[in-house]
Protein backbone atom coordinates (compact mmCIF):
# COMPACT_ATOMS: atom_id res chain seq x y z
CA UNK A 1 0.00 0.00 0.00
CA UNK A 2 1.12 3.55 -0.60
CA UNK A 3 -0.30 7.03 -0.08
CA UNK A 4 -0.20 9.16 -3.21
CA UNK A 5 -0.43 12.94 -3.30
CA UNK A 6 -2.35 13.46 -6.53
CA UNK A 7 -2.26 17.24 -6.92
CA UNK A 8 -2.49 20.67 -5.32
CA UNK A 9 -5.28 21.15 -2.79
CA UNK A 10 -6.23 19.87 0.64
CA UNK A 11 -5.81 16.51 2.38
CA UNK A 12 -8.54 15.11 0.09
CA UNK A 13 -5.86 15.07 -2.63
CA UNK A 14 -4.33 11.98 -0.99
CA UNK A 15 -5.22 8.59 -2.47
CA UNK A 16 -4.46 5.11 -1.13
CA UNK A 17 -3.11 2.61 -3.70
CA UNK A 18 -2.48 -1.12 -3.31
CA UNK A 19 1.05 -2.11 -4.26
CA UNK A 20 3.26 -5.19 -4.09
CA UNK A 21 6.47 -5.31 -2.08
CA UNK A 22 9.20 -4.57 -4.67
CA UNK A 23 12.48 -6.50 -4.93
CA UNK A 24 15.61 -4.51 -4.03
CA UNK A 25 18.09 -3.62 -6.80
CA UNK A 26 21.86 -3.39 -6.50
CA UNK A 27 22.90 -1.41 -3.43
CA UNK A 28 19.31 -1.29 -2.10
CA UNK A 29 17.40 -2.88 0.73
CA UNK A 30 13.66 -3.32 1.12
CA UNK A 31 12.26 -1.98 4.36
CA UNK A 32 8.85 -2.78 5.84
CA UNK A 33 7.87 0.59 7.29
CA UNK A 34 6.88 0.51 10.96
CA UNK A 35 6.57 4.27 11.51
CA UNK A 36 6.88 7.48 9.51
CA UNK A 37 6.37 11.13 10.34
CA UNK A 38 3.85 13.67 9.07
CA UNK A 39 5.67 16.98 8.75
CA UNK A 40 5.08 20.58 7.81
CA UNK A 41 6.93 19.82 4.56
CA UNK A 42 3.94 17.72 3.41
CA UNK A 43 1.59 20.58 4.28
CA UNK A 44 3.73 22.79 2.03
CA UNK A 45 3.75 20.07 -0.68
CA UNK A 46 -0.07 20.04 -0.65
CA UNK A 47 -0.02 23.72 -1.54
CA UNK A 48 2.87 23.32 -4.03
CA UNK A 49 4.96 25.52 -1.76
CA UNK A 50 7.83 23.15 -0.92
CA UNK A 51 11.17 23.93 -2.60
CA UNK A 52 11.82 21.65 -5.60
CA UNK A 53 9.11 19.11 -4.71
CA UNK A 54 8.45 16.32 -7.26
CA UNK A 55 5.72 16.67 -9.88
CA UNK A 56 2.30 15.35 -8.81
CA UNK A 57 1.42 12.54 -8.40
CA UNK A 58 4.05 11.30 -5.95
CA UNK A 59 4.30 9.48 -2.63
CA UNK A 60 5.17 11.82 0.26
CA UNK A 61 6.84 10.81 3.54
CA UNK A 62 10.03 12.46 4.77
CA UNK A 63 11.43 9.85 7.14
CA UNK A 64 10.88 6.26 8.20
CA UNK A 65 11.71 3.59 10.74
CA UNK A 66 11.28 0.01 9.62
CA UNK A 67 12.51 -3.53 9.41
CA UNK A 68 14.75 -4.83 6.63
CA UNK A 69 12.90 -7.56 4.71
CA UNK A 70 15.23 -8.07 1.71
CA UNK A 71 18.79 -7.11 0.83
CA UNK A 72 20.00 -6.44 -2.74
CA UNK A 73 23.36 -7.21 -4.35
CA UNK A 74 26.51 -5.46 -3.14
CA UNK A 75 25.02 -4.56 0.23
CA UNK A 76 27.01 -5.33 3.35
CA UNK A 77 26.60 -4.53 7.03
CA UNK A 78 22.80 -4.85 7.03
CA UNK A 79 20.71 -8.00 7.31
CA UNK A 80 17.07 -9.09 7.09
CA UNK A 81 15.41 -8.36 10.44
CA UNK A 82 17.53 -5.28 11.28
CA UNK A 83 15.60 -2.24 12.46
CA UNK A 84 16.71 0.86 10.57
CA UNK A 85 15.83 4.50 9.94
CA UNK A 86 16.26 6.69 6.86
CA UNK A 87 15.63 10.22 5.67
CA UNK A 88 13.80 9.92 2.36
CA UNK A 89 12.47 13.49 1.75
CA UNK A 90 9.61 11.86 -0.21
CA UNK A 91 8.44 8.26 -0.63
CA UNK A 92 8.23 6.98 2.94
CA UNK A 93 4.41 6.72 3.17
CA UNK A 94 4.43 3.15 1.90
CA UNK A 95 4.16 -0.21 3.60
CA UNK A 96 7.38 -1.32 1.78
CA UNK A 97 10.13 1.05 0.61
CA UNK A 98 13.33 0.51 -1.34
CA UNK A 99 16.15 2.44 0.29
CA UNK A 100 19.77 2.89 -0.84
CA UNK A 101 21.79 0.96 1.74
CA UNK A 102 24.06 3.94 2.43
CA UNK A 103 21.07 5.88 3.79
CA UNK A 104 20.31 3.41 6.56
CA UNK A 105 20.99 4.12 10.22
CA UNK A 106 20.48 1.36 12.83
CA UNK A 107 17.76 1.91 15.44
CA UNK A 108 18.88 0.85 18.94
CA UNK A 109 17.11 -2.07 20.60
CA UNK A 110 14.57 -0.92 23.13
CA UNK A 111 13.78 2.35 21.33
CA UNK A 112 10.12 2.36 20.30
CA UNK A 113 9.70 2.73 16.51
CA UNK A 114 7.20 5.61 16.82
CA UNK A 115 9.48 7.51 19.18
CA UNK A 116 12.44 6.85 16.87
CA UNK A 117 10.41 8.18 13.92
CA UNK A 118 9.53 11.33 15.89
CA UNK A 119 13.25 11.80 16.58
CA UNK A 120 14.56 11.15 13.06
CA UNK A 121 14.15 14.24 10.85
CA UNK A 122 13.22 16.56 13.73
CA UNK A 123 15.99 15.25 15.99
CA UNK A 124 18.79 15.62 13.48
CA UNK A 125 17.45 19.02 12.40
CA UNK A 126 17.53 20.29 15.99
CA UNK A 127 20.84 18.57 16.85
CA UNK A 128 22.72 19.87 13.82
CA UNK A 129 21.40 23.41 14.28
CA UNK A 130 22.31 23.52 17.98
CA UNK A 131 25.67 21.76 17.79
CA UNK A 132 26.98 22.32 14.26
CA UNK A 133 25.39 25.54 12.96
CA UNK A 134 25.00 27.72 16.08
CA UNK A 135 27.37 25.78 18.37
CA UNK A 136 25.36 26.71 21.45
CA UNK A 137 27.50 26.87 24.58
CA UNK A 138 27.18 27.10 28.34
CA UNK A 139 26.19 30.61 29.47
CA UNK A 140 24.66 31.72 26.16
CA UNK A 141 21.11 32.97 25.75
CA UNK A 142 19.14 31.70 22.74
CA UNK A 143 15.69 32.35 21.30
CA UNK A 144 13.68 29.42 19.89
CA UNK A 145 10.64 30.36 17.82
CA UNK A 146 7.82 27.82 17.96
CA UNK A 147 9.25 26.30 21.15
CA UNK A 148 6.23 24.01 21.57
CA UNK A 149 6.55 22.47 18.08
CA UNK A 150 8.10 19.21 16.95
CA UNK A 151 11.51 20.71 16.14
CA UNK A 152 11.12 23.53 18.69
CA UNK A 153 10.72 21.24 21.72
CA UNK A 154 13.90 19.40 20.69
CA UNK A 155 15.80 22.66 20.11
CA UNK A 156 14.84 23.81 23.61
CA UNK A 157 15.91 20.54 25.24
CA UNK A 158 19.26 20.43 23.40
CA UNK A 159 20.06 24.09 24.11
CA UNK A 160 19.14 23.68 27.80
CA UNK A 161 21.32 20.54 27.97
CA UNK A 162 24.19 22.56 26.42
CA UNK A 163 23.90 24.98 29.34
CA UNK A 164 22.12 27.86 27.59
CA UNK A 165 19.34 30.06 28.87
CA UNK A 166 16.44 29.57 26.44
CA UNK A 167 13.64 31.98 25.55
CA UNK A 168 10.88 30.32 23.54
CA UNK A 169 7.93 31.76 21.61
CA UNK A 170 4.67 29.80 21.71
CA UNK A 171 0.94 30.43 21.86
CA UNK A 172 -0.23 31.26 25.39
CA UNK A 173 -1.92 27.87 25.97
CA UNK A 174 1.42 26.08 25.54
CA UNK A 175 3.48 28.20 27.95
CA UNK A 176 3.40 25.64 30.77
CA UNK A 177 4.72 22.98 28.36
CA UNK A 178 7.52 25.33 27.26
CA UNK A 179 8.37 26.13 30.90
CA UNK A 180 8.47 22.41 31.72
CA UNK A 181 11.20 22.00 29.08
CA UNK A 182 13.31 24.61 30.87
CA UNK A 183 12.63 27.65 28.67
CA UNK A 184 11.13 31.08 29.44
CA UNK A 185 7.97 31.39 27.30
CA UNK A 186 7.02 34.43 25.23
CA UNK A 187 3.59 34.81 23.62
CA UNK A 188 4.13 35.15 19.87
CA UNK A 189 0.86 37.10 19.54
CA UNK A 190 2.35 39.89 21.66
CA UNK A 191 5.35 42.15 20.98
CA UNK A 192 8.08 39.48 20.76
CA UNK A 193 10.93 41.96 20.24
CA UNK A 194 9.96 43.95 23.35
CA UNK A 195 9.62 40.77 25.43
CA UNK A 196 13.04 39.47 24.31
CA UNK A 197 14.70 42.85 24.98
CA UNK A 198 13.16 42.94 28.46
CA UNK A 199 14.54 39.48 29.24
CA UNK A 200 17.89 39.84 27.42
CA UNK A 201 18.76 43.55 27.06
CA UNK A 202 22.06 42.85 25.23
CA UNK A 203 20.34 40.57 22.73
CA UNK A 204 20.58 36.82 22.26
CA UNK A 205 23.47 34.67 21.00
CA UNK A 206 21.34 32.64 18.62
CA UNK A 207 17.82 32.76 17.16
CA UNK A 208 16.25 29.65 15.61
CA UNK A 209 13.62 30.91 13.17
CA UNK A 210 11.26 28.59 11.24
CA UNK A 211 8.91 31.41 10.28
CA UNK A 212 10.98 33.13 7.58
CA UNK A 213 9.53 36.13 5.73
CA UNK A 214 9.28 39.31 7.78
CA UNK A 215 10.23 37.49 10.99
CA UNK A 216 13.85 37.27 9.80
CA UNK A 217 14.56 41.00 10.10
CA UNK A 218 13.21 41.00 13.65
CA UNK A 219 15.19 37.88 14.58
CA UNK A 220 18.43 39.37 13.22
CA UNK A 221 17.80 42.63 15.08
CA UNK A 222 17.52 40.68 18.36
CA UNK A 223 21.04 39.24 18.04
CA UNK A 224 23.78 40.25 20.46
CA UNK A 225 27.20 41.08 19.03
CA UNK A 226 28.68 37.90 17.50
CA UNK A 227 25.25 36.19 17.47
CA UNK A 228 23.82 33.93 14.77
CA UNK A 229 20.39 33.75 13.15
CA UNK A 230 19.56 30.21 11.99
CA UNK A 231 16.64 30.22 9.56
CA UNK A 232 15.26 26.76 8.84
CA UNK A 233 11.79 27.28 7.42
CA UNK A 234 9.29 29.60 5.81
CA UNK A 235 6.15 28.71 7.77
CA UNK A 236 4.84 32.29 7.71
CA UNK A 237 4.65 32.30 3.89
CA UNK A 238 2.53 29.11 3.54
CA UNK A 239 -0.61 31.02 2.52
CA UNK A 240 1.13 33.45 0.11
CA UNK A 241 -0.21 33.09 -3.43
CA UNK A 242 3.05 33.83 -5.25
CA UNK A 243 5.48 31.24 -6.70
CA UNK A 244 7.01 28.98 -4.02
CA UNK A 245 10.49 30.34 -4.81
CA UNK A 246 9.61 33.98 -4.07
CA UNK A 247 10.06 33.83 -0.26
CA UNK A 248 13.38 32.01 -0.67
CA UNK A 249 14.68 34.56 -3.18
CA UNK A 250 13.66 37.33 -0.75
CA UNK A 251 15.48 35.48 2.04
CA UNK A 252 18.61 35.22 -0.11
CA UNK A 253 18.37 38.98 -0.71
CA UNK A 254 18.23 39.66 3.04
CA UNK A 255 21.11 37.28 3.69
CA UNK A 256 23.18 38.95 0.96
CA UNK A 257 22.56 42.34 2.61
CA UNK A 258 23.74 41.04 6.00
CA UNK A 259 26.75 39.37 4.39
CA UNK A 260 27.73 42.63 2.69
CA UNK A 261 27.33 44.35 6.06
CA UNK A 262 29.82 41.87 7.48
CA UNK A 263 32.29 42.58 4.67
CA UNK A 264 31.91 46.29 5.34
CA UNK A 265 32.58 45.71 9.05
CA UNK A 266 29.11 46.90 10.10
CA UNK A 267 27.64 43.59 11.33
CA UNK A 268 29.10 43.57 14.88
CA UNK A 269 30.08 39.94 14.25
CA UNK A 270 26.47 38.88 13.65
CA UNK A 271 25.77 36.14 11.07
CA UNK A 272 22.78 34.59 9.34
CA UNK A 273 22.65 30.99 8.17
CA UNK A 274 20.07 28.80 6.43
CA UNK A 275 19.76 25.21 7.64
CA UNK A 276 18.31 22.37 5.55
CA UNK A 277 18.35 18.72 6.68
CA UNK A 278 19.80 16.44 4.00
CA UNK A 279 20.28 12.67 3.62
CA UNK A 280 24.07 12.44 3.68
CA UNK A 281 27.01 11.19 5.74
CA UNK A 282 26.63 14.01 8.23
CA UNK A 283 22.97 13.02 8.83
CA UNK A 284 24.08 9.39 9.31
CA UNK A 285 26.59 10.50 11.96
CA UNK A 286 24.13 12.76 13.81
CA UNK A 287 21.17 10.35 14.02
CA UNK A 288 22.89 7.74 16.25
CA UNK A 289 23.82 10.55 18.64
CA UNK A 290 20.17 11.72 18.68
CA UNK A 291 18.97 8.16 19.33
CA UNK A 292 21.56 7.82 22.12
CA UNK A 293 20.20 10.96 23.82
CA UNK A 294 16.60 9.73 23.42
CA UNK A 295 17.46 6.26 24.78
CA UNK A 296 19.24 7.91 27.73
CA UNK A 297 16.17 10.07 28.48
CA UNK A 298 18.08 13.33 27.85
CA UNK A 299 15.94 14.12 24.81
CA UNK A 300 12.22 13.41 24.60
CA UNK A 301 10.48 13.92 21.25
CA UNK A 302 6.90 15.04 21.77
CA UNK A 303 4.28 12.89 20.01
CA UNK A 304 0.86 14.42 19.38
CA UNK A 305 -0.73 11.20 18.16
CA UNK A 306 -0.12 7.93 16.34
CA UNK A 307 -2.32 7.16 13.33
CA UNK A 308 -2.43 4.20 10.95
CA UNK A 309 -0.68 4.92 7.62
CA UNK A 310 -3.99 4.94 5.76
CA UNK A 311 -5.06 7.94 7.89
CA UNK A 312 -2.25 10.17 6.59
CA UNK A 313 -4.86 12.68 5.34
CA UNK A 314 -6.15 13.05 8.92
CA UNK A 315 -2.58 13.84 10.03
CA UNK A 316 -2.37 16.61 7.44
CA UNK A 317 -5.80 17.92 8.48
CA UNK A 318 -4.56 18.16 12.06
CA UNK A 319 -1.42 20.07 11.03
CA UNK A 320 -3.45 22.43 8.85
CA UNK A 321 -5.88 23.10 11.72
CA UNK A 322 -2.98 24.00 14.08
CA UNK A 323 -2.75 23.42 17.80
CA UNK A 324 -0.66 20.27 17.42
CA UNK A 325 2.09 19.71 20.02
CA UNK A 326 4.82 17.44 18.72
CA UNK A 327 4.98 14.88 15.96
CA UNK A 328 2.15 13.07 14.23
CA UNK A 329 3.44 9.53 13.62
CA UNK A 330 1.97 7.18 11.01
CA UNK A 331 2.28 3.53 11.97
CA UNK A 332 1.85 0.28 10.07
CA UNK A 333 -1.52 -1.34 10.78
CA UNK A 334 -1.46 -4.62 12.67
CA UNK A 335 -3.39 -6.41 9.86
N1 LIG B 1 15.11 23.16 7.32
C1 LIG B 1 14.89 21.92 7.70
O1 LIG B 1 15.70 21.05 7.45
C2 LIG B 1 13.65 21.58 8.48
C3 LIG B 1 13.49 20.31 9.03
C4 LIG B 1 12.34 20.05 9.79
C5 LIG B 1 11.37 21.04 9.91
N2 LIG B 1 11.58 22.25 9.31
C6 LIG B 1 10.60 23.34 9.46
O2 LIG B 1 10.44 23.56 10.82
C7 LIG B 1 9.17 24.14 11.05
C8 LIG B 1 8.55 23.48 12.25
O3 LIG B 1 8.29 22.14 11.96
P1 LIG B 1 7.57 21.25 13.05
O4 LIG B 1 7.40 19.90 12.48
O5 LIG B 1 8.27 21.41 14.32
O6 LIG B 1 6.17 21.97 13.09
P2 LIG B 1 5.12 22.08 14.28
O7 LIG B 1 5.27 20.92 15.21
O8 LIG B 1 3.81 22.35 13.63
O9 LIG B 1 5.61 23.36 15.07
C9 LIG B 1 5.46 24.65 14.56
C10 LIG B 1 5.34 25.58 15.74
O10 LIG B 1 5.27 26.92 15.25
C11 LIG B 1 4.52 27.64 16.18
N3 LIG B 1 4.08 28.91 15.62
C12 LIG B 1 3.02 29.16 14.82
N4 LIG B 1 2.97 30.48 14.53
C13 LIG B 1 4.02 31.06 15.18
C14 LIG B 1 4.51 32.38 15.28
N5 LIG B 1 3.90 33.40 14.66
N6 LIG B 1 5.62 32.60 16.02
C15 LIG B 1 6.25 31.58 16.64
N7 LIG B 1 5.84 30.30 16.58
C16 LIG B 1 4.74 30.04 15.86
C17 LIG B 1 3.41 26.71 16.60
O11 LIG B 1 3.07 27.07 17.91
P3 LIG B 1 1.56 26.95 18.49
O12 LIG B 1 1.16 25.52 18.25
O13 LIG B 1 1.76 27.31 19.90
O14 LIG B 1 0.72 27.90 17.70
C18 LIG B 1 4.08 25.35 16.55
O15 LIG B 1 4.49 24.94 17.84
C19 LIG B 1 8.38 24.00 9.74
O16 LIG B 1 8.38 25.25 9.12
C20 LIG B 1 9.22 23.02 8.96
O17 LIG B 1 9.11 23.20 7.58
C21 LIG B 1 12.68 22.53 8.62
Amino acid sequence: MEIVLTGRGGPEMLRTDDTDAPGPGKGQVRVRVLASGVSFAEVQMLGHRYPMQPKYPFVPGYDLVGEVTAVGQDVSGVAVGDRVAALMVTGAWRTHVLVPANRLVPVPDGLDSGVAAAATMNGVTAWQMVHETARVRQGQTVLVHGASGGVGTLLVQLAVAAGARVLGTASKGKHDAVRALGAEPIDYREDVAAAVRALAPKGVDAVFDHLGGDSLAQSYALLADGGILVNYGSASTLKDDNHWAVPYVRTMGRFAGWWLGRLAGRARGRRASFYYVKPNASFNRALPEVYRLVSAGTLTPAIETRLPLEDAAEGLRMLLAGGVTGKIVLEASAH
Side-chain angles (χ1 to χ4, degrees), residues 40 125 146 148-151 169 171 174 188 210-211 232 235 275-277:
F40 190 76
T125 297
S148 61
V151 178
T169 66
S171 52
K174 296 185 179 169
Y188 65 65
H210 67 299
L211 296 163
Y232 68 104
Y275 172 86
Y276 187 35
V277 70

Side-chain angles (χ1 to χ4, degrees), residues 38-41 44 50 62 121-122 125 129 145-152 169-172 174 188-189 192 210-211 231-235 274-278 319 322-327:
V38 182
S39 70
F40 190 76
Q44 289 176 304
Y50 191 76
Y62 224 102
M121 168 170 67
N122 284 0
T125 297
M129 287 196 289
H145 279 296
S148 61
V151 178
T169 66
S171 52
K172 193 95 184 141
K174 296 185 179 169
Y188 65 65
R189 294 198 175 85
V192 170
H210 67 299
L211 296 163
N231 172 219
Y232 68 104
S234 194
F274 188 80
Y275 172 86
Y276 187 35
V277 70
K278 290 178 280 305
L319 280 187
V324 165
T325 305
K327 195 81 182 164

Side-chain angles (χ1 to χ4, degrees), residues 8-204:
R8 187 176 185 161
E12 73 285 353
M13 299 307 287
L14 293 184
R15 180 183 78 208
T16 304
D17 283 357
D18 283 332
T19 51
D20 294 329
K26 203 169 166 180
Q28 290 182 325
V29 301
R30 186 178 67 216
V31 175
R32 183 171 69 85
V33 179
L34 300 169
S36 171
V38 182
S39 70
F40 190 76
E42 284 95 33
V43 174
Q44 289 176 304
M45 288 177 194
L46 268 184
H48 204 290
R49 294 204 63 80
Y50 191 76
M52 287 171 285
Q53 71 185 65
K55 282 193 176 146
Y56 304 116
F58 65 94
V59 177
Y62 224 102
D63 52 8
L64 63 83
V65 168
E67 184 189 2
V68 174
T69 52
V71 176
Q73 265 180 23
D74 293 347
V75 173
S76 57
V78 56
V80 170
D82 286 357
R83 215 156 49 106
V84 293
L87 188 75
M88 303 297 293
V89 183
T90 56
W93 289 359
R94 292 183 161 101
T95 45
H96 302 274
V97 180
L98 295 180
V99 187
N102 63 6
R103 288 216 191 161
L104 299 176
V105 174
V107 178
D109 290 344
L111 183 57
D112 172 81
S113 296
V115 173
T120 301
M121 168 170 67
N122 284 0
V124 172
T125 297
W127 193 91
Q128 290 186 323
M129 287 196 289
V130 166
H131 292 298
E132 294 180 346
T133 312
R135 296 177 185 271
V136 174
R137 296 184 303 280
Q138 175 91 30
Q140 289 190 324
T141 300
V142 306
L143 171 64
V144 174
H145 279 296
S148 61
V151 178
T153 50
L154 297 172
L155 281 170
V156 170
Q157 293 174 65
L158 289 168
V160 167
R165 175 186 180 205
V166 182
L167 316 179
T169 66
S171 52
K172 193 95 184 141
K174 296 185 179 169
H175 281 198
D176 283 347
V178 171
R179 240 179 246 115
L181 296 173
E184 296 162 53
I186 292 169
D187 185 351
Y188 65 65
R189 294 198 175 85
E190 290 178 2
D191 185 342
V192 170
V196 173
R197 289 202 182 96
L199 292 165
K202 289 186 180 160
V204 294

